[in-house]
């Protein structure tokens, strides 16, 4: 193979982010992807019927709109249009009630009655400081925050909501259910400290910037990144599974956008025994069974304003959310699982033929589950939207084990890059000061298994690429490098852009 400056293994958003930073520094970059299409989970396909476009994993992108990487890259300038539902997320309850998280914090608080002031008091200090909050939580988590006030506010709220003190804040059922629903994105108990932290960040962004969906699907994000990379000399090779370092072209630096186990599989013979043992001890968490629906019309929600929400959390009360998630953590399927649902048609009618809708869902299940839980998903939606079942034209199911078969980074169906525990958030993938650097000179890990963790934000790729550039003697601010990339408004292969190399 022809020698290059840098090789990236894996073309998810972090891998593409790392490649873009390296290419912006003037390096010759090559990306190798095992799947037939780049993008990792940031892809969109016709999974059910012709004309129905479904996101295969990530669908809603508050982290992308808040990310310093994407702010410097300029998604809009590269042709990605983010569409904002007026309701960031909704949490229906039995009896036609629902918690509605409007983008406007005050409107949300006003809708919560007696618990409104408590909701406002919990989130307003974080909403006011959201750029500083993001600066902290999307960092490499290895330095002192530049603005510690936001970090202190977040820590105080975590200490409250992850302890029995949480019961003192709210008195009705809706607000605590809303918070539990957003915490459960972490696929662990909503009262676990790490889940509370993740949920508070997401809830803050729901009011500060919104929870947008890209027009046409999440593939638009990967497509914009790939187009910019190839326009600046990068090369993407798809359908090329790497089994050893010897398969890669000679390079000055190599970055792995993979789970720790994949790094171990590829580079294991070269790694010191101690580091290899630490990688083996990395824990993966709860998993998902994904069910996509082609619908003859919109979901008939019982509660007002749920039809305005891009995202919905379907589980019921806070107690039900805790029971469902703790069952998954114990390795059991809950009869009423937590279901994360997205209805893109609220803002993007082009995802389905005229008058019809796509409907995206994940149910949380135990790691390595082989069970198709579409019956449980349908029952949970029907619970809050009677008549839903009658509108289903077709469905597509991907069990937890099928998720891993499709993407080796989703170990056992864990789409989060690792178990969401407080220790593992701070010490992922291994307990060392530099989480991206490996013992092999010039070899780095840049996946969601490194800080800041899950989400389409590109920051793990940026942090790892920054280390790689320093290794090569380049110390220019990577965000400044990204700002020099000329927009190349072409969309990826699924939308008509040039094909990557195979």
């Amino acid at each position: 193979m022809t020698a290059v400056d840098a090789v990236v293994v894996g073309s998810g958003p972090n891998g593409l982010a790392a490649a873009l930073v390296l290419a912006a520094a003037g390096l010759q970059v090559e990306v190798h992807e095992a799947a037939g299409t780049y993008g990792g989970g940031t892809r969109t396909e016709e999974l059910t019927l012709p004309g129905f476009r479904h996101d295969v994993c990530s669908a809603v992108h508050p982290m992308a709109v808040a990310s310093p990487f994407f702010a410097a890259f300029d998604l809009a300038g590269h042709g990605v249009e983010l569409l904002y539902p007026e309701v960031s997320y909704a949490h229906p309850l039995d009896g036609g009630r629902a918690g509605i998280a409007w983008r406007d914090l005050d409107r949300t608080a006003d809708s919560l009655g007696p618990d409104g002031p408590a909701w406002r008091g919990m989130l307003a200090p974080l909403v006011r400081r959201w750029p500083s909050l993001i600066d902290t939580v999307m960092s490499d988590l290895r330095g002192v925050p530049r603005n510690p006030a936001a970090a202190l506010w977040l820590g105080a709220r975590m200490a409250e909501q992850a302890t029995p003190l949480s019961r003192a804040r709210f008195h009705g059922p809706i607000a605590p259910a809303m918070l539990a629903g957003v915490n459960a994105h972490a696929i662990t108990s909503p009262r676990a400290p790490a889940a509370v932290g993740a949920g508070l960040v997401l809830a803050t962004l729901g009011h500060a910037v919104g929870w947008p969906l890209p027009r046409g699907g999440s593939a638009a994000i990967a497509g914009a990144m790939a187009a910019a990379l190839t326009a600046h000399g990068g090369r993407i090779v798809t359908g090329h599974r790497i089994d050893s370092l010897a398969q890669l072209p000679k390079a000055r630096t190599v970055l792995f956008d993979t789970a720790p186990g994949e790094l171990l599989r590829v580079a294991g013979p070269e790694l010191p025994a101690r580091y290899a043992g630490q990688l083996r001890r990395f824990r993966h968490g709860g998993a998902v069974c994904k069910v996509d629906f082609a619908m003859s019309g919109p979901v008939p929600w019982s509660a007002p304003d749920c039809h305005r929400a891009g995202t919905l959390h379907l589980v019921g009360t806070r107690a039900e959310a805790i029971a469902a998630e703790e069952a998954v953590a114990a390795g059991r399927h809950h009869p009423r699982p937590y279901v994360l649902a997205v209805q893109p048609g609220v803002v993007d009618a082009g995802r389905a033929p005229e008058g019809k809708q796509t409907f995206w869902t994940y149910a949380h299940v135990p790691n390595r589950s082989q069970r198709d839980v579409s019956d449980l998903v349908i029952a949970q939606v029907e619970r809050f939207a009677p008549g839903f079942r009658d509108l289903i034209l077709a469905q597509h199911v991907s069990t937890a084990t099928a998720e891993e078969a499709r993407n080796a980074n989703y170990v056992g169906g864990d789409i989060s890059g690792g178990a969401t525990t407080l220790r593992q958030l701070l010490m992922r993938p291994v307990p060392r000061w530099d989480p991206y650097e490996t013992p092999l000179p010039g070899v780095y890990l840049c996946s969601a298994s490194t800080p800041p963790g899950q989400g389409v934000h590109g920051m793990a790729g940026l942090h790892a690429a920054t280390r790689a550039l320093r290794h090569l003697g380049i110390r220019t601010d990577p965000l400044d490098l990204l700002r020099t990339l000329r927009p190349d408004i072409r969309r990826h292969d699924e939308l008509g852009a040039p094909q990557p190399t195979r």
Side-chain angles (χ1 to χ4, degrees):
M1 292 186 184
T2 304
V4 296
D5 292 313
V7 171
V8 178
V9 179
S11 69
N14 282 309
L16 291 174
L20 281 166
V21 171
L22 297 170
L27 302 182
Q28 186 178 1
V29 183
E30 197 165 279
V31 178
H32 289 256
E33 168 60 51
T37 306
Y38 55 77
T42 315
R43 294 189 292 114
T44 309
E45 298 178 356
E46 291 183 343
L47 297 175
T48 54
L49 296 172
F52 290 83
R53 297 183 57 78
H54 305 271
D55 289 324
V56 302
C57 184
S58 61
V60 182
H61 298 280
M63 290 295 191
V65 73
S67 163
F69 169 85
F70 281 117
F73 175 69
D74 184 10
L75 279 173
H78 284 85
V80 178
E81 183 182 3
L82 295 177
L83 307 173
Y84 292 82
E86 58 181 324
V87 173
S88 293
Y89 60 93
H91 191 114
L93 295 171
D94 295 321
R97 301 168 298 163
I100 304 296
W102 301 92
R103 288 182 62 191
D104 184 295
L105 174 60
D106 289 331
R107 185 176 182 182
T108 304
D110 291 344
S111 73
L112 290 173
D115 278 335
W119 185 268
R120 184 185 291 108
M122 178 178 67
L123 291 175
L126 297 174
V127 171
R128 285 196 299 270
R129 297 175 173 86
W130 78 264
S132 297
L133 176 66
I134 290 302
D135 184 64
T136 298
V137 301
M138 288 196 186
S139 71
D140 61 8
L141 305 180
R142 292 299 185 272
V144 177
R146 285 184 290 184
N147 185 339
L152 291 172
W153 273 104
L154 179 64
R157 297 295 184 265
M158 289 172 62
E160 172 195 292
Q161 290 298 314
T163 66
L165 290 174
S166 63
R167 292 194 288 267
R169 177 169 289 273
F170 301 117
H171 303 288
I174 295 179
M178 288 175 66
L179 189 58
V182 77
N183 292 355
H185 278 245
I187 319 183
T188 190
S189 173
R191 56 186 173 186
V196 171
L200 286 169
V201 171
L202 287 173
T204 297
L205 293 179
H207 297 308
V209 300
W211 285 15
L213 292 81
R215 185 179 296 280
S218 293
I221 294 176
M225 298 173 79
L229 178 61
T230 56
H232 289 81
R235 181 170 179 253
I236 302 174
V237 182
T238 59
H240 187 212
R241 175 183 166 92
I242 302 300
D243 295 309
S244 73
L245 293 175
Q247 287 180 262
L248 296 172
K250 186 176 180 180
R252 299 162 66 192
T253 187
V254 179
L255 292 85
F256 281 81
D257 181 15
T258 68
E262 280 294 286
L263 172 63
L264 186 62
R265 183 183 65 80
V266 173
E270 313 286 335
L271 294 171
R274 181 180 179 186
Y275 183 79
Q278 291 174 326
L279 291 180
R280 290 189 186 95
R281 289 190 289 274
F282 184 79
R283 288 181 52 209
H284 284 278
V288 299
C289 176
K290 186 166 187 288
V291 189
D292 288 285
F293 298 94
M295 309 288 297
S296 63
V299 178
W301 303 107
S302 295
D305 296 317
C306 282
H307 67 285
R308 303 177 188 273
T311 304
L312 297 103
H313 305 139
L314 310 179
V315 70
T317 64
R318 178 179 186 269
E320 288 179 289
I322 291 170
E325 292 302 290
E326 293 185 351
V328 167
R332 302 191 309 272
H333 291 88
H334 196 274
R336 281 186 161 183
Y338 175 92
V339 175
L340 178 62
V342 177
Q343 40 191 15
V346 168
V347 288
D348 189 2
R351 301 283 191 98
E354 186 175 357
K356 298 179 172 56
Q357 300 279 333
T358 61
F359 191 60
W360 174 111
T361 71
Y362 273 139
H364 292 174
V365 297
N367 195 278
R368 302 201 181 279
S369 167
Q370 300 181 42
R371 181 174 169 185
D372 172 354
V373 298
S374 56
D375 57 334
L376 302 181
V377 170
I378 291 170
Q380 281 288 65
V381 182
E382 187 82 18
R383 173 183 173 188
F384 304 112
F388 166 77
R389 192 187 311 268
D390 298 332
L391 301 176
I392 299 171
L393 299 174
Q395 64 189 56
H396 176 273
V397 180
S398 182
T399 65
T401 51
E403 287 288 301
E404 181 177 11
R406 183 176 57 80
N407 188 330
N409 282 355
Y410 300 159
V411 178
D414 169 12
I415 61 171
S416 301
T420 307
T421 66
L422 198 57
R423 179 184 184 279
Q424 199 157 265
L425 281 179
L426 297 174
M427 294 296 177
R428 61 198 291 143
V430 298
R432 58 187 295 159
W433 179 249
D434 190 332
Y436 313 96
E437 185 181 44
T438 76
L440 302 179
V443 177
Y444 302 87
L445 192 64
C446 67
S447 69
S449 299
T450 63
Q454 72 183 87
V456 178
H457 44 62
M459 292 301 294
L462 180 140
H463 293 314
T466 302
R467 268 78 170 174
L469 290 177
R470 288 175 183 167
H471 170 75
L472 299 175
I474 301 171
R475 295 188 173 273
T476 307
D477 186 328
L479 296 179
D480 287 340
L481 292 172
L482 285 168
R483 293 184 187 102
T484 68
L485 293 177
R486 299 181 307 277
D488 185 355
I489 304 176
R490 292 176 295 166
R491 308 184 78 180
H492 81 17
D493 52 350
E494 295 176 9
L495 301 181
Q499 294 280 338
T501 305
R502 299 185 186 277

